[in-house]
Amino acid sequence: MRRENQSSVSEFLLLGLPIQPEQQGMFYTLFLAMYLTTVLGNLLIILLIRLDSHLHTPMYFFLSHLALTDICFSSVTAPKMLMNMLMQTQSISYTGCISQAYFFLLFADLDSFLLTSMAYDRYVAICHPLHYSRIMSQNLCFLLVVVSWVLSSFNALLHTLLLTHLSFLRDHTLHHFFCDLSALLKLSSSDTTINQLAILIVGSVVITLPFICILVSYGHIGATILRRPSIKGICKALSTCGSHLSVVSLYYGTIIALYFVPSSDSTNDKDVIVSMLYCLVTPMMNPFIYSLRNRDMKGALRNILSRRTISMW
């Protein structure tokens, strides 16, 4: 059966954000500035880590991959949303919609696994400092990143393949600014039991399990600090974990608000707004969090700027 016959739609209509027409220009400028800040800020993090040898450590290795993932994650939804706002169009092709859903799931899951790897790195650094170099070897770091990609790709591919078997006969209007999986399932005229079951089972692996691992890691870190309480130890722990904890809180806070806090059936505005925070605000905040709260990153930036100033003279 051809894809056109199975889905019965060649495109979807994205209603976008709940914004008044007279406010489109202002919000377009705001979202464009946020997207450019996300891309440039995360590129700066990658550049600093590449150029400063002091940042060639497991923590910053994971951070560079997180920054790259955040660029890709925001680029899945933001450019299409901005183009629709600028051109006053709402359509997205069926293929484009399915592709957008795949890459959104891929990079969202990858974010989750990378944050878990960073939490494990902090756990080893604080709870087993004498064995840190041996445990957090280069091979282990590469392995964690590869496994993160494999699991994220598998989950995204599974949901996408299940999605392609659904029919969309009744309507093709999505009350969203991108092709969100849950919005597509609500729109489908097919039985989505298998899709919902896959979300429940696989979602617990790629979202819930990593979150539990992060909580366990920081539970051990807290217990280690409390066994040897000192102002110096607490300050050191906050300096090494503060940035990561802030990102974790922002990332999982929006996920909980989006998927675990029930919303009214009569409106999707809350889900759309929280999705905007999740897709654009969270990736944008990561560079600010890691640059403003991290002395190593600020030191690396000062060193590169001073080197550039000296070379100009």
Side-chain angles (χ1 to χ4, degrees):
M1 183 181 292
R2 296 195 320 167
R3 172 61 53 214
E4 289 81 6
N5 292 336
Q6 183 174 352
S7 65
S8 297
V9 294
S10 59
E11 65 179 21
F12 291 95
L13 294 180
L14 300 172
L15 293 186
L17 294 163
I19 299 173
Q20 297 299 324
E22 61 273 12
Q23 299 176 329
Q24 287 279 343
M26 178 184 66
F27 278 100
Y28 174 83
T29 304
L30 174 63
F31 294 146
L32 178 61
M34 292 170 64
Y35 175 63
L36 292 177
T37 301
T38 300
V39 174
L40 296 176
N42 283 290
L43 282 177
L44 178 61
I45 285 180
I46 297 172
L47 182 65
L48 291 176
I49 293 173
R50 290 278 295 176
L51 295 180
D52 196 315
S53 58
H54 295 95
L55 300 181
H56 294 174
T57 62
M59 181 65 178
Y60 293 105
F61 172 76
F62 293 129
L63 177 58
S64 63
H65 283 272
L66 181 67
L68 178 61
T69 302
D70 282 338
I71 293 173
C72 298
F73 182 52
S74 59
S75 297
V76 170
T77 58
K80 178 61 178 175
M81 179 194 70
L82 291 169
M83 184 169 60
N84 286 355
M85 293 178 68
L86 182 64
M87 305 298 294
Q88 296 295 312
T89 59
Q90 297 177 313
S91 64
I92 182 172
S93 66
Y94 176 85
T95 303
C97 189
I98 298 299
S99 300
Q100 191 179 60
Y102 170 80
F103 286 107
F104 178 84
L105 291 170
L106 170 65
F107 293 116
D109 296 342
L110 193 55
D111 251 348
S112 179
F113 285 120
L114 289 174
L115 289 174
T116 307
S117 299
M118 294 170 75
Y120 178 70
D121 174 80
R122 293 300 84 199
Y123 158 73
V124 176
I126 294 176
C127 299
H128 304 284
L130 299 179
H131 303 285
Y132 179 78
S133 299
R134 178 179 59 83
I135 297 175
M136 297 303 300
S137 63
Q138 190 178 50
N139 290 336
L140 178 62
C141 293
F142 277 113
L143 179 62
L144 288 174
V145 170
V146 170
V147 170
S148 298
W149 272 97
V150 170
L151 292 177
S152 300
S153 300
F154 169 77
N155 179 59
L157 184 61
L158 173 64
H159 289 303
T160 305
L161 290 177
L162 291 174
L163 190 61
T164 58
H165 286 81
L166 299 180
S167 297
F168 300 91
L169 303 175
R170 294 173 300 185
D171 193 7
H172 63 290
T173 302
L174 283 170
H175 296 270
H176 224 297
F177 64 92
F178 74 100
C179 293
D180 180 58
L181 178 61
S182 59
L184 286 169
L185 294 183
K186 292 177 182 177
L187 197 65
S188 174
S189 56
S190 303
D191 182 11
T192 60
T193 303
I194 297 178
N195 302 73
Q196 299 289 353
L197 187 62
I199 291 174
L200 180 63
I201 296 174
V202 184
S204 63
V205 175
V206 299
I207 297 295
T208 308
L209 186 59
F211 184 52
I212 292 174
C213 291
I214 292 173
L215 293 179
V216 170
S217 296
Y218 277 102
H220 283 289
I221 290 173
T224 301
I225 295 172
L226 292 176
R227 278 199 297 267
R228 298 186 296 271
S230 67
I231 299 298
K232 183 179 179 180
I234 294 174
C235 291
K236 183 178 179 180
L238 288 176
S239 66
T240 57
C241 301
S243 300
H244 182 252
L245 272 175
S246 301
V247 173
V248 168
S249 301
L250 192 59
Y251 177 81
Y252 284 102
T254 52
I255 288 181
I256 292 171
L258 184 59
Y259 295 107
F260 294 95
V261 177
S263 59
S264 172
D265 294 334
S266 60
T267 178
N268 295 310
D269 287 355
K270 189 270 291 183
D271 292 342
V272 174
I273 293 172
V274 175
S275 294
M276 170 56 66
L277 296 176
Y278 181 52
C279 297
L280 202 55
V281 176
T282 300
M284 183 190 69
M285 291 303 297
N286 288 356
F288 290 102
I289 291 172
Y290 277 104
S291 60
L292 295 177
R293 296 180 60 92
N294 193 297
R295 288 181 295 180
D296 293 335
M297 293 296 294
K298 289 188 285 188
L301 181 59
R302 282 195 297 267
N303 290 338
I304 291 176
L305 291 177
S306 62
R307 269 188 250 159
R308 189 165 183 81
T309 303
I310 294 172
S311 64
M312 290 176 61
W313 286 97

